[in-house]
Amino acid sequence: GKTTLLRDCVRQLSDGEGQRVGLVDERGELAACWNGVPQLNVGAKTDVLTGCPKAAGMELLLRTMSPDWIAVDEISGEADAEALVRASYCGVRFLATAHADSPEDLRRRPVYRSLLAAAVFETVAVLGEDRSIHCERMNHGVFEMDCGGDDPALLHMGGTSRGPAAAQNGRADGGDLYGAGACV
């Protein structure tokens, strides 16, 4: 469910919101490119890097594509986390998936703890076994939002980043809560 939700969020940002999205599809699961053309709908304004390691792909996207958002599937190693932290200072927003049983489990794992400490992500969406989506603002406690239940098309994805780059650039002035998030 995480990969499917991530793909749909990318599509919504690209087509629905008109945002430039850079998608690092390391294993070819998100866009399923064939001869450089995505076979799955990831949106018209999405640039896809297939078969590229996440850390290198994020850096390449930042240097060449000027994305509003970067999406990656399954953050699992220190190199991925370090690349996300570095990219967060460039003003880009993120969508990422990670394996964890709960937000508490996410906080306990060193790789994810470093991302949360750097304020790269402020919202975590947890996919339930019943396909429900429970969201938690990482620094402000648990809350529920209308994520659309079984319909990820209703998941709100707009807003401004309030991570390190936003604070550094004086843009940490509020805005929409869901400006940067992780799907777990």
Side-chain angles (χ1 to χ4, degrees):
K2 293 185 304 292
T3 300
T4 302
L5 178 61
L6 178 63
R7 181 186 310 115
D8 195 54
C9 289
V10 166
R11 180 191 56 77
Q12 288 181 61
L13 285 167
S14 178
D15 286 346
E17 301 290 326
Q19 301 284 306
R20 292 179 315 274
V21 181
L23 176 61
V24 182
D25 193 5
E26 187 172 15
R27 292 178 310 279
E29 296 175 325
L30 290 162
C33 287
W34 177 256
N35 291 328
V37 179
Q39 302 303 297
L40 299 172
N41 186 0
V42 292
K45 295 184 87 172
T46 300
D47 293 306
V48 181
L49 294 178
T50 301
C52 181
K54 288 181 276 292
M58 285 185 269
E59 186 174 326
L60 184 61
L61 285 168
L62 282 171
R63 290 180 181 210
T64 61
M65 299 300 187
S66 185
D68 298 312
W69 292 80
I70 291 179
V72 294
D73 199 16
E74 296 188 21
I75 296 299
S76 58
E78 288 295 328
D80 300 341
E82 289 170 8
L84 280 164
V85 171
R86 281 192 311 271
S88 71
Y89 289 99
C90 296
V92 69
R93 294 168 281 181
F94 300 95
L95 290 170
T97 63
H99 288 283
D101 293 331
S102 66
E104 294 76 30
D105 185 28
L106 194 72
R107 287 183 189 97
R108 280 191 296 268
R109 296 182 185 203
V111 170
Y112 307 134
R113 194 176 328 132
S114 68
L115 291 170
L116 297 171
V120 173
F121 297 105
E122 71 175 34
T123 304
V124 172
V126 180
L127 303 179
E129 290 181 18
D130 62 351
R131 297 182 58 144
S132 65
I133 302 172
H134 167 85
C135 298
E136 180 174 333
R137 199 188 289 187
M138 295 311 293
N139 294 325
H140 305 287
V142 176
F143 70 97
E144 297 291 332
M145 72 177 198
D146 181 10
C147 290
D150 287 343
D151 185 2
L154 298 178
L155 181 62
H156 182 73
M157 296 305 301
T160 58
S161 174
R162 288 193 267 175
Q168 184 178 21
N169 295 325
R171 294 186 306 150
D173 58 351
D176 203 344
L177 166 65
Y178 316 114
C183 302
V184 215

